[in-house]
Amino acid sequence: MPIPPEILASIDLPGVLDGLPLGVAVLDPEGRVITVNSALERLTGISREEARGVPCRHVIRSGLCFRRCPAEGGADTDIVNRNRARIPVRLSAVPVRDALGRELYRLDIVEDLSALREMERRLEEPGGVGGLVGKSPAMERILRLLPAMAQADAPVCVIGETGSGKDSVAEAIHKLSPRSREPFVRVGCGPTPPQTLEAELFGRRAASGEIVPGALQRAGAGTVYLSDVGDLPEELQVRLVRLLDEGVAVPAGGSAPLRCQARVLASSGASPEELTRLGRLRQDLAYRLGALRVDLPPLRERPEDIEFLLAHFLEVFAAKFRKDVRSFTPKARRLLLAHDYPGNVRELRNIVEFAVMVCTKPAIPPACLPAHLLGLLGQGGEE
Amino acid sequence: MRPKRILVPLHRDEVAPRFDLAGEALIADVDPGESGFTAEEYLLPQASAEGLCDLVLRKDVDVVVCGGIEEEYYHYLRWKRVEVLDNVAGNAREAIARFAAGRLKSGEILFDRGAGHAR
């Protein structure tokens, strides 16, 4: 049954478009943008006021538009948004005609495929979860735990030595969570003036009265990751406790609290108990951050992962550098297995990257390993 | 002030909406404050961001005026001390003229929102 014209005329069309989870651009018959919905504003980073009257190819900026018009049929393509990110999308077009069949408008519909592509990529990864790989019982236990932790909204504290993969764990939790379509914003709490850190984390009120967004506002309903949380000044720790309790943050120089939906993840080289004992972390913050906790074991405590990681990174870098390097010679392998990796996975990864880069043979000999490593192991470069 | 060399990736006569998909580029030598400029069009063997970055370096370009550009190419050009004005939409020669007049910035939309030069 057709909708009566008076009902059609009374429909709040912009409200309907803004309620759609897909990006929509309403175009005139010349291909100029009449309006875009809020999902497309978020996807492209271009506001509806800026987009109005601009040819659609300059707003959507899809790869498909360089080959043919989406009106000729939709396709999977990509866009480059205002924030310089390339986003995989499905682009399709729907003509809007009048009763006589004349085309009045066209709707270009843009579906963000990032989550789908990310899922495909994750399924193809050997470790399966984010960029994390590991076959030792300790790592397998962590990899099993992460999807469950990702579903919760409570803060997670990731503890591990330098290079053990704290950042990767935080990213994996975000990517596995229902917040994965929202931003992941990292804030390094390391040596930074407290005022700068305050503005970076909570935002600040500019002289004009405008609020300059901090990480908590930029993350929206996504995730804010505080690395080296033990370096956070005490006054900011107090404010972080309030944020975790009440979900509000007051920007620097402001007085009105702003509601924050972002989830907080934190990392540290030492456990919250140790940081509290050293007086670097407030007890109340330690309890809140320690609700969910991931303790990453150093590589020397899971030697069974070393060989696996060597093979994994060899494959990764051989593909990246397009080199036919397939293995390590037995002596190079023995040397690599004998090392205790104080820099953990990052150090192992860097060693393999260097070796693949300089190696010109199918098997990496000791001579292709970094000189400092050979020095540490008391070896010359000869096979 | 010394003249500046500007590169604009082209899509027809417009600033290409995408840096990585532009198959041609316009290179102009501009004297800041002067309205006139000389410009030459370059055709790339194929559309590619790497090809354009290579052209930028080979031709000693000072400023790139473009539409959408990916983070890695943006930072690469900045690292090579090339100024990048991105998210510019409009006619390429008009963008160069505005740059020469010191009135072009990133995110500028130069289209006449009322006129019909869309398709």
Side-chain angles (χ1 to χ4, degrees), chain A residues 215-272:
Chain A
L216 288 163
Q217 291 87 28
R218 291 201 306 275
T223 304
V224 171
Y225 168 53
L226 307 173
S227 65
D228 297 317
V229 72
D231 291 340
L232 201 64
E234 186 169 4
E235 63 268 29
L236 297 187
Q237 291 189 23
V238 174
R239 295 178 58 183
L240 192 56
V241 168
R242 182 176 177 202
L243 169 81
L244 296 175
D245 281 350
E246 301 171 21
V248 292
V250 182
S255 53
L258 298 178
R259 183 144 293 281
C260 296
Q261 294 175 290
R263 183 187 195 187
V264 175
L265 307 181
S267 75
S268 169
S271 69

Coordinates of all heavy atoms in Angstrom, one line a residue, chain A residues 215-272:
Chain A
A215 N 42.3 12.5 24.7 CA 42.2 11.2 24.3 C 40.8 10.6 24.6 O 40.2 9.8 23.8 CB 43.3 10.3 24.9
L216 N 40.3 10.9 25.8 CA 39.0 10.4 26.2 C 37.9 10.8 25.4 O 36.9 10.1 25.1 CB 38.7 10.8 27.7 CG 39.6 10.1 28.7 CD1 39.6 10.8 30.0 CD2 39.2 8.6 28.9
Q217 N 37.9 12.0 24.9 CA 36.9 12.5 23.9 C 37.1 12.0 22.5 O 36.2 11.6 21.9 CB 36.8 14.0 23.9 CG 36.4 14.7 25.2 CD 37.5 15.0 26.2 OE1 38.6 15.1 25.8 NE2 37.2 15.0 27.4
R218 N 38.4 11.9 22.1 CA 38.7 11.4 20.8 C 38.3 9.9 20.6 O 37.9 9.5 19.5 CB 40.2 11.6 20.4 CG 40.6 13.0 20.3 CD 41.9 13.1 19.4 NE 43.0 12.3 20.0 CZ 43.8 12.7 20.9 NH1 43.7 13.9 21.5 NH2 44.8 11.9 21.3
A219 N 38.4 9.2 21.7 CA 38.1 7.8 21.6 C 36.6 7.5 21.5 O 36.2 6.4 21.1 CB 38.7 7.1 22.9
G220 N 35.8 8.5 21.9 CA 34.3 8.3 21.8 C 34.0 7.1 22.6 O 34.3 7.0 23.8
A221 N 33.3 6.1 22.0 CA 32.9 4.9 22.7 C 34.0 3.8 22.5 O 33.7 2.6 22.7 CB 31.6 4.4 22.2
G222 N 35.2 4.2 22.1 CA 36.2 3.2 21.8 C 37.1 2.9 23.1 O 36.5 2.8 24.2
T223 N 38.4 2.9 22.9 CA 39.3 2.5 23.9 C 40.4 3.5 24.1 O 41.0 4.0 23.1 CB 39.9 1.1 23.6 OG1 38.8 0.2 23.4 CG2 40.8 0.6 24.7
V224 N 40.7 3.9 25.4 CA 41.9 4.7 25.6 C 42.9 3.8 26.3 O 42.6 3.1 27.3 CB 41.6 5.9 26.5 CG1 42.8 6.6 27.0 CG2 40.7 6.8 25.8
Y225 N 44.1 3.7 25.8 CA 45.1 2.8 26.3 C 46.2 3.7 26.9 O 46.9 4.5 26.2 CB 45.7 2.0 25.2 CG 47.0 1.2 25.5 CD1 47.0 0.4 26.6 CD2 48.1 1.3 24.7 CE1 48.2 -0.3 27.0 CE2 49.2 0.6 25.0 CZ 49.3 -0.2 26.1 OH 50.4 -0.8 26.4
L226 N 46.4 3.5 28.2 CA 47.5 4.3 28.9 C 48.7 3.4 29.1 O 48.7 2.5 29.9 CB 46.9 4.7 30.3 CG 45.6 5.5 30.4 CD1 45.1 5.6 31.8 CD2 45.7 6.8 29.7
S227 N 49.7 3.7 28.3 CA 50.9 2.9 28.5 C 51.8 3.5 29.6 O 51.8 4.7 29.8 CB 51.7 2.8 27.2 OG 52.2 4.0 26.8
D228 N 52.5 2.6 30.4 CA 53.3 3.1 31.5 C 52.5 3.9 32.5 O 52.8 5.0 32.8 CB 54.5 3.9 31.0 CG 55.4 3.0 30.2 OD1 55.7 1.8 30.5 OD2 55.9 3.5 29.1
V229 N 51.4 3.3 33.0 CA 50.5 4.0 33.8 C 51.1 4.4 35.2 O 50.7 5.4 35.8 CB 49.2 3.2 34.1 CG1 49.4 2.0 34.9 CG2 48.1 4.0 34.6
G230 N 52.2 3.7 35.5 CA 52.9 4.0 36.8 C 53.6 5.4 36.7 O 54.0 6.0 37.8
D231 N 53.7 6.0 35.5 CA 54.4 7.3 35.4 C 53.4 8.4 35.4 O 53.7 9.6 35.3 CB 55.1 7.4 34.0 CG 56.4 6.5 34.1 OD1 56.8 6.1 35.2 OD2 56.9 6.1 33.0
L232 N 52.1 8.1 35.6 CA 51.0 9.1 35.6 C 51.1 9.9 36.9 O 51.2 9.3 38.0 CB 49.7 8.4 35.5 CG 48.5 9.2 35.0 CD1 48.6 9.7 33.6 CD2 47.2 8.4 35.2
P233 N 51.2 11.3 36.8 CA 51.3 12.1 38.1 C 50.1 11.8 39.0 O 49.0 11.5 38.5 CB 51.3 13.5 37.6 CG 51.6 13.4 36.1 CD 51.2 12.1 35.6
E234 N 50.3 12.0 40.3 CA 49.3 11.6 41.3 C 48.0 12.3 41.1 O 46.9 11.8 41.2 CB 49.8 11.8 42.7 CG 48.8 11.2 43.7 CD 49.3 11.1 45.1 OE1 50.4 11.5 45.4 OE2 48.5 10.6 45.9
E235 N 48.1 13.7 40.8 CA 46.9 14.4 40.6 C 46.0 13.9 39.4 O 44.8 13.9 39.5 CB 47.1 15.9 40.5 CG 47.9 16.4 39.3 CD 49.4 16.5 39.5 OE1 49.9 15.7 40.4 OE2 50.1 17.3 38.9
L236 N 46.7 13.4 38.4 CA 45.9 12.8 37.3 C 45.4 11.4 37.7 O 44.3 11.0 37.2 CB 46.8 12.7 36.1 CG 47.3 14.1 35.5 CD1 48.0 13.9 34.2 CD2 46.1 15.1 35.3
Q237 N 46.1 10.7 38.6 CA 45.6 9.4 39.0 C 44.3 9.6 39.8 O 43.3 8.8 39.6 CB 46.6 8.8 39.9 CG 47.9 8.3 39.2 CD 48.8 7.5 40.1 OE1 48.4 6.9 41.0 NE2 50.1 7.5 39.7
V238 N 44.2 10.7 40.6 CA 42.9 11.0 41.3 C 41.8 11.2 40.3 O 40.7 10.7 40.5 CB 43.1 12.2 42.2 CG1 41.8 12.6 42.9 CG2 44.2 12.0 43.3
R239 N 42.1 11.9 39.3 CA 41.0 12.2 38.3 C 40.7 11.0 37.5 O 39.5 10.8 37.1 CB 41.5 13.4 37.4 CG 41.7 14.6 38.2 CD 42.1 15.8 37.4 NE 41.3 16.0 36.2 CZ 41.5 16.9 35.3 NH1 42.6 17.7 35.4 NH2 40.6 17.1 34.3
L240 N 41.7 10.1 37.3 CA 41.4 8.9 36.6 C 40.5 8.0 37.4 O 39.6 7.3 36.9 CB 42.7 8.2 36.3 CG 42.7 7.0 35.3 CD1 42.0 7.4 34.0 CD2 44.1 6.4 35.0
V241 N 40.7 8.0 38.7 CA 39.8 7.2 39.6 C 38.4 7.7 39.5 O 37.4 6.9 39.4 CB 40.3 7.3 41.1 CG1 39.2 6.8 42.0 CG2 41.6 6.6 41.3
R242 N 38.2 9.0 39.4 CA 36.8 9.6 39.3 C 36.2 9.2 38.0 O 35.1 8.8 37.9 CB 36.9 11.1 39.4 CG 35.5 11.7 39.3 CD 35.5 13.2 39.5 NE 34.1 13.7 39.3 CZ 33.8 14.9 39.0 NH1 34.7 15.8 38.9 NH2 32.5 15.2 38.9
L243 N 37.1 9.2 36.9 CA 36.6 8.8 35.6 C 36.1 7.3 35.7 O 35.0 7.0 35.1 CB 37.7 9.0 34.6 CG 37.4 8.3 33.2 CD1 36.5 9.2 32.4 CD2 38.7 8.0 32.5
L244 N 36.9 6.5 36.3 CA 36.5 5.1 36.3 C 35.3 4.8 37.2 O 34.5 3.9 36.9 CB 37.7 4.2 36.8 CG 39.0 4.2 36.0 CD1 40.1 3.5 36.6 CD2 38.7 3.6 34.6
D245 N 35.1 5.6 38.2 CA 33.9 5.5 39.1 C 32.7 6.1 38.5 O 31.6 5.5 38.5 CB 34.2 6.2 40.4 CG 35.1 5.3 41.3 OD1 35.3 4.1 41.0 OD2 35.5 5.8 42.4
E246 N 32.8 7.3 38.0 CA 31.6 8.1 37.6 C 31.4 8.2 36.1 O 30.4 8.7 35.6 CB 31.6 9.4 38.2 CG 31.7 9.4 39.7 CD 32.0 10.8 40.3 OE1 31.7 11.8 39.6 OE2 32.5 10.9 41.4
G247 N 32.5 7.8 35.3 CA 32.4 8.0 33.8 C 32.4 9.4 33.4 O 31.8 9.7 32.3
V248 N 32.9 10.3 34.2 CA 33.0 11.7 33.7 C 34.4 12.3 33.9 O 35.2 11.8 34.7 CB 32.0 12.7 34.5 CG1 30.6 12.3 34.2 CG2 32.3 12.6 36.0
A249 N 34.8 13.2 33.0 CA 36.1 13.8 33.1 C 35.9 15.3 32.9 O 35.1 15.8 32.1 CB 37.0 13.3 32.0
V250 N 36.7 16.1 33.7 CA 36.7 17.6 33.5 C 37.9 18.0 32.7 O 39.0 17.7 33.1 CB 36.7 18.2 34.9 CG1 36.6 19.8 34.7 CG2 35.6 17.7 35.8
P251 N 37.7 18.6 31.6 CA 38.9 19.1 30.8 C 39.7 20.1 31.6 O 39.2 20.8 32.4 CB 38.3 19.7 29.5 CG 36.8 19.2 29.5 CD 36.4 18.9 30.9
A252 N 41.0 20.1 31.3 CA 41.9 21.1 31.9 C 41.4 22.5 31.7 O 41.1 22.9 30.6 CB 43.3 20.9 31.4
G253 N 41.3 23.3 32.8 CA 40.8 24.7 32.6 C 39.3 24.8 32.6 O 38.8 25.9 32.5
G254 N 38.6 23.7 32.6 CA 37.2 23.7 32.6 C 36.6 23.4 33.9 O 37.3 23.0 34.9
S255 N 35.3 23.5 34.1 CA 34.6 23.2 35.3 C 33.5 22.2 35.1 O 33.2 21.4 36.0 CB 34.1 24.4 36.0 OG 33.3 25.1 35.1
A256 N 32.9 22.2 33.9 CA 31.8 21.2 33.7 C 32.3 19.9 33.3 O 33.1 19.7 32.4 CB 30.9 21.8 32.6
P257 N 31.9 18.8 34.0 CA 32.4 17.5 33.7 C 31.7 17.0 32.4 O 30.6 17.3 32.1 CB 31.9 16.6 34.9 CG 30.9 17.4 35.6 CD 31.0 18.8 35.2
L258 N 32.5 16.3 31.5 CA 32.0 15.7 30.3 C 31.9 14.2 30.5 O 32.7 13.6 31.0 CB 32.9 16.0 29.1 CG 33.2 17.5 28.8 CD1 34.2 17.5 27.6 CD2 31.9 18.1 28.4
R259 N 30.8 13.6 30.0 CA 30.6 12.2 30.1 C 31.5 11.5 29.1 O 31.6 11.9 27.9 CB 29.1 11.9 29.8 CG 28.8 10.4 30.0 CD 27.4 10.2 30.6 NE 27.3 10.6 31.9 CZ 27.7 9.9 33.0 NH1 28.3 8.8 32.8 NH2 27.5 10.4 34.2
C260 N 32.2 10.4 29.5 CA 33.1 9.7 28.7 C 32.6 8.2 28.6 O 32.3 7.6 29.6 CB 34.5 9.7 29.2 SG 35.2 11.3 29.2
Q261 N 32.6 7.7 27.4 CA 32.1 6.3 27.2 C 33.3 5.4 27.0 O 33.1 4.2 26.9 CB 31.2 6.3 26.0 CG 29.9 7.0 26.2 CD 29.1 7.0 24.9 OE1 29.4 7.6 23.9 NE2 28.0 6.2 24.9
A262 N 34.5 5.9 26.8 CA 35.6 5.1 26.4 C 36.0 4.1 27.5 O 35.8 4.4 28.7 CB 36.8 6.0 26.1
R263 N 36.5 3.0 27.1 CA 37.0 2.0 28.0 C 38.5 2.3 28.3 O 39.2 2.7 27.3 CB 36.8 0.6 27.4 CG 37.3 -0.5 28.4 CD 37.3 -1.9 27.7 NE 37.4 -3.0 28.7 CZ 37.5 -4.2 28.3 NH1 37.6 -4.6 27.1 NH2 37.6 -5.1 29.3
V264 N 38.9 2.0 29.5 CA 40.3 2.3 29.8 C 41.1 1.0 29.9 O 40.7 0.1 30.6 CB 40.5 3.1 31.1 CG1 41.9 3.3 31.5 CG2 39.8 4.5 30.9
L265 N 42.2 0.9 29.1 CA 43.2 -0.1 29.3 C 44.5 0.5 29.7 O 44.8 1.7 29.4 CB 43.4 -0.9 28.0 CG 42.2 -1.4 27.2 CD1 42.7 -2.1 25.9 CD2 41.4 -2.4 28.1
A266 N 45.3 -0.2 30.5 CA 46.5 0.4 31.0 C 47.6 -0.7 30.9 O 47.3 -1.9 30.9 CB 46.4 0.9 32.4
S267 N 48.9 -0.2 30.9 CA 50.0 -1.2 30.9 C 51.1 -0.7 31.8 O 51.2 0.6 32.0 CB 50.5 -1.5 29.5 OG 51.3 -0.4 29.1
S268 N 51.9 -1.6 32.3 CA 53.0 -1.2 33.1 C 54.0 -2.3 33.1 O 53.7 -3.5 32.9 CB 52.5 -1.0 34.5 OG 53.5 -0.9 35.4
G269 N 55.3 -1.9 33.3 CA 56.3 -2.9 33.4 C 56.3 -3.6 34.7 O 56.9 -4.7 34.8
A270 N 55.7 -3.0 35.7 CA 55.7 -3.7 37.1 C 54.2 -3.9 37.5 O 53.3 -3.2 36.9 CB 56.4 -2.8 38.1
S271 N 54.0 -4.8 38.4 CA 52.6 -5.1 38.8 C 52.0 -3.9 39.6 O 52.8 -3.2 40.2 CB 52.6 -6.4 39.7 OG 53.2 -6.1 40.9
P272 N 50.7 -3.8 39.7 CA 50.1 -2.7 40.4 C 50.5 -2.8 41.9 O 50.8 -1.7 42.5 CB 48.6 -3.0 40.3 CG 48.4 -3.7 39.1 CD 49.6 -4.6 38.9

